[in-house]
Amino acid sequence: MLRDPYLRQYSAVIVDEVHERGVNVDLILGFLRELQGEKMAGRGGIPLKIVVMSATADIEALLRFFKTTDSKGTGDSDGDGREDDVGREDDVGRENDVGREDDVGREDDVSEFEGFSDDERTNGTDQSNASRKPSDSLATPSIVHIEGRQYPVKLIYAPQPVSDFVDAALIKIFQIHHGESLFGEVPKLLVLPLFAALPQHLQQRVFQPTPPRTPKIILSTNVAETSVTVSGVRYVIDCGKSKSKQFRTSLGLDSLLVKPVSKSAAIQRMGRAGREAPGQCHRLYTQEEYESFKDNQTPEILRCDLAQAILDIKARGVDEVWEFPFLDKPRREAFEKALLQLLQLNALDERGNVSEIGLKIAKLPLSAPLGGVLVGAMEEDRDCLAAVVDIISCFSVENLFLNLTSEEAKEKAEVGRGSLYRREGDHLTLLATVQAYMAEQSDRKSWCEKHFVSHRAMRVVMDVRKQLRSYVAKLSKRTLDESVSMNGERSIVILKCFLQGFGRNVARRIPAGYKTLLSNQLVAIHVVKPSSVLFGKKLEAIMYNEHVFIQKSYARWVSAVQMDWVGEVLAP
C-alpha cells in the first residue's frame, strides 16, 4: 500500500481472521475505510469490494465502522459506505453449537449459498467506470453468515474457583485418562508440547499418528486456538488463561503477564473438541467467572508501542494520525510517546512530517528502531552495513541457541559456544555466530550440533538475511560483502549504529544493578531463554533491544556501551 495507496490493481480485498486484531489488521482496516470515503476518487471511480471475515469478531462494531462516512471512523450513519461483506463463518455465540471454519474440499461442508440477486449481480456493471462518480458506487455494508460443520461439544465448568490451574489441569487429565478411556483400559500416554517457539520438527510430532493404544496429550499455548488444527482431538481442557503482552507507555517496557482469556477465545478453544466428532470441553473456571470475561481480547494496537504503526500511517500520506480511522483509537499518551520516539530516530522532521529517513525505515520489514539502525548503517563513512544486516537477521527468531534443561548439557554448550561468545555482548555474539555458520561449507547441520545452535533457526536467519540484503541493496544502491572482517574499531562503529536506534534503551550501572537513563527503572540482564552473554558482568553501561517485565524487569539482547558514546550518538 506504500507503492500503490489506492490499490488500483485490485478490485477486491479480503481480510481474514480479523478477530485476532493484530496491529497490521487494524491498519489495513483503517486504510480500506479511507479508500471507501473521500479517497475513492484516487481510484478513478473504480469500486473496491472489501470482504472482512471472522468466526468470533464483533460484527456490529465492524458494521458501524464501515457504514460511517466521517474521517474518524465512528458513528452510525447509513449509506455512503462501499458495499462491504462482513462475513462470519459460524454463529459462535451459541456455545452448545460452536462453529468453526471447516476443511476445504469436503462436499458436506458446502454452505447453502443462494447466490446474488439480480440487483446485486448487475449493480454498477451497466455504467462505464470513467463516467461514474465515486458516490454512485457506494452502498450499505452487508453481513453474510456462512454456517460450517461442527459436532456437539459438551461443556463442563469447574464447580468452584480453582487456585492452581496447572495442578487442576493435571488432575483433570488423569481423571479423563482413567475414567473415560477410549480403549476400555488404562494405556500409556504420549505427552507432547506445542508452542510457537518450539522447533519445527518437534511441532510436527503433534500431527503424527500415535503408537497403537496410546492416547495423545498436547500441552499447548493459545497457538492451538486458531492457528493449527490437530486431528483426533476429543477433549479440551481450558485453563482460562493466556500470556498477554502489554506495552507500558510511561515506563517504556513490555509486560508479559498471565491474564484471563476473552469469551471469544474460550469459544475458540471449546470448538477444538468438535471438529471431527462429538467432544467435551472442561473449563477450569466457574460459569460466573466466564461471564466476567471480556467479550473480545484487547486489540494489539491498544497494548503495543505505536511507533511503527504511526510511521506506516504517515508514510502513506496521512499527516494527522489522530484523525486516522482506527477501529479502536489508542490513548493520546501512546501517540505522543510514539511521535517523540520517531522524532528521536529522525524519522520525522520538526513539523512532524515523515522525513527521507522515515520513508526508508517504512520500506523495511522491520520495527522502527531496527529500521533506524539499518538506515544509519547505510551511511558511507560507517562501513558496517553487512555486519548490521547479519545481526538484525538474528532477531527474526526467538532464540538462535538451543534451550537446554540439564546441567550437563549446559556445561557442554558453554564449551561448544565459547568460540562464538564476544565480551562486547549479545549483538556481536550473534554476528560471530552468523559468520561462523556462513564459513562452514561442508556440514552446517553438524556444526550447529557441535555449537548447540538451532539449525532450523539458522536457516530462518539465512532466509531473512537474504531478503534484508535485497532491500538494503535497493535503498543504498550498494553491493554487500558476504564476509565481515572484525576488529575493535569496527565493533565500536556497529554498537554506535545500534545506539542510533536504541538510544532510549540505555541503563547505567549502580550498586544494585542497572538503572535506565530515561525512566530511572531498575533493570536486570536477561538470564533465561535467551540468556545474555553479559549476565553477571559489571559494566559501565548497557544497551538493550527489549525491556520486558516477567516477574521482574529484564533487558534482552544486551551489549556493553560507554556513556560518552551515548552523548555522541544522540547529540542533535
Side-chain angles (χ1 to χ4, degrees), residues 77-318:
S77 76
D78 293 329
D80 290 343
R82 270 289 303 134
E83 183 182 349
D84 308 301
D85 286 344
V86 183
R88 191 170 190 165
E89 291 165 358
D90 303 283
D91 188 3
V92 297
R94 297 176 298 169
E95 288 202 337
N96 292 328
D97 189 21
V98 181
R100 278 291 298 146
E101 179 185 4
D102 298 301
D103 297 331
V104 178
R106 297 174 61 99
E107 293 184 359
D108 58 345
D109 293 347
V110 178
S111 60
E112 298 181 359
F113 179 62
E114 300 297 335
F116 294 106
S117 66
D118 292 338
D119 291 339
E120 289 174 314
R121 187 179 296 108
T122 60
N123 183 28
T125 60
D126 57 344
Q127 303 180 47
S128 66
N129 290 331
S131 62
R132 185 189 302 139
K133 297 180 181 179
S135 59
D136 293 338
S137 63
L138 301 179
T140 303
S142 59
I143 299 177
V144 179
H145 294 271
I146 302 175
E147 185 175 355
R149 171 181 54 76
Q150 173 69 39
Y151 290 96
V153 178
K154 183 179 180 181
L155 185 59
I156 304 171
Y157 286 97
Q160 57 189 13
V162 173
S163 58
D164 186 343
F165 65 85
V166 175
D167 184 63
L170 289 173
I171 292 174
K172 184 61 65 175
I173 288 173
F174 287 113
Q175 285 177 345
I176 295 174
H177 182 51
H178 287 272
E180 303 182 35
S181 174
L182 300 175
F183 304 98
E185 58 183 61
V186 182
K188 294 181 179 179
L189 288 174
L190 177 62
V191 182
L192 301 172
L194 179 61
F195 52 92
L198 190 68
Q200 187 177 16
H201 71 282
L202 296 179
Q203 290 186 20
Q204 291 300 319
R205 294 179 63 194
V206 305
F207 303 103
Q208 297 171 357
T210 60
R213 307 176 67 83
T214 305
K216 184 191 302 179
I217 306 293
I218 301 172
L219 304 178
S220 176
T221 62
N222 55 355
V223 70
E225 280 180 22
T226 57
S227 301
V228 297
T229 298
V230 181
S231 178
V233 173
R234 300 292 183 271
Y235 299 91
V236 168
I237 300 174
D238 177 14
C239 67
K241 306 289 184 182
S242 68
K243 281 188 176 181
S244 178
K245 197 173 185 179
Q246 175 81 41
F247 181 72
R248 298 187 181 185
T249 305
S250 59
L251 300 178
L253 64 82
D254 287 304
S255 298
L256 188 62
L257 303 174
V258 177
K259 293 186 176 182
V261 299
S262 63
K263 288 181 181 177
S264 62
I267 294 172
Q268 291 277 19
R269 293 180 178 189
M270 183 177 66
R272 302 289 93 184
R275 295 298 302 272
E276 299 177 334
Q280 294 183 11
C281 177
H282 297 259
R283 288 179 170 171
L284 303 181
Y285 45 88
T286 64
Q287 189 166 2
E288 290 74 19
E289 288 179 288
Y290 171 79
E291 295 300 332
S292 68
F293 291 170
K294 295 179 180 179
D295 289 337
N296 296 285
Q297 63 183 358
T298 303
E300 185 183 6
I301 203 159
L302 299 182
R303 50 185 175 85
C304 74
D305 183 1
L306 291 180
Q308 185 61 48
I310 290 179
L311 182 59
D312 289 340
I313 293 172
K314 282 186 170 289
R316 197 177 173 273
V318 181

Side-chain angles (χ1 to χ4, degrees), residues 52 65 67 81 108 130 177 181 217 239 295 393 397 424 520 567:
V52 180
F65 179 73
K67 285 172 68 175
D108 58 345
H177 182 51
S181 174
I217 306 293
C239 67
D295 289 337
S393 301
V397 296
E424 294 90 346
N520 216 30

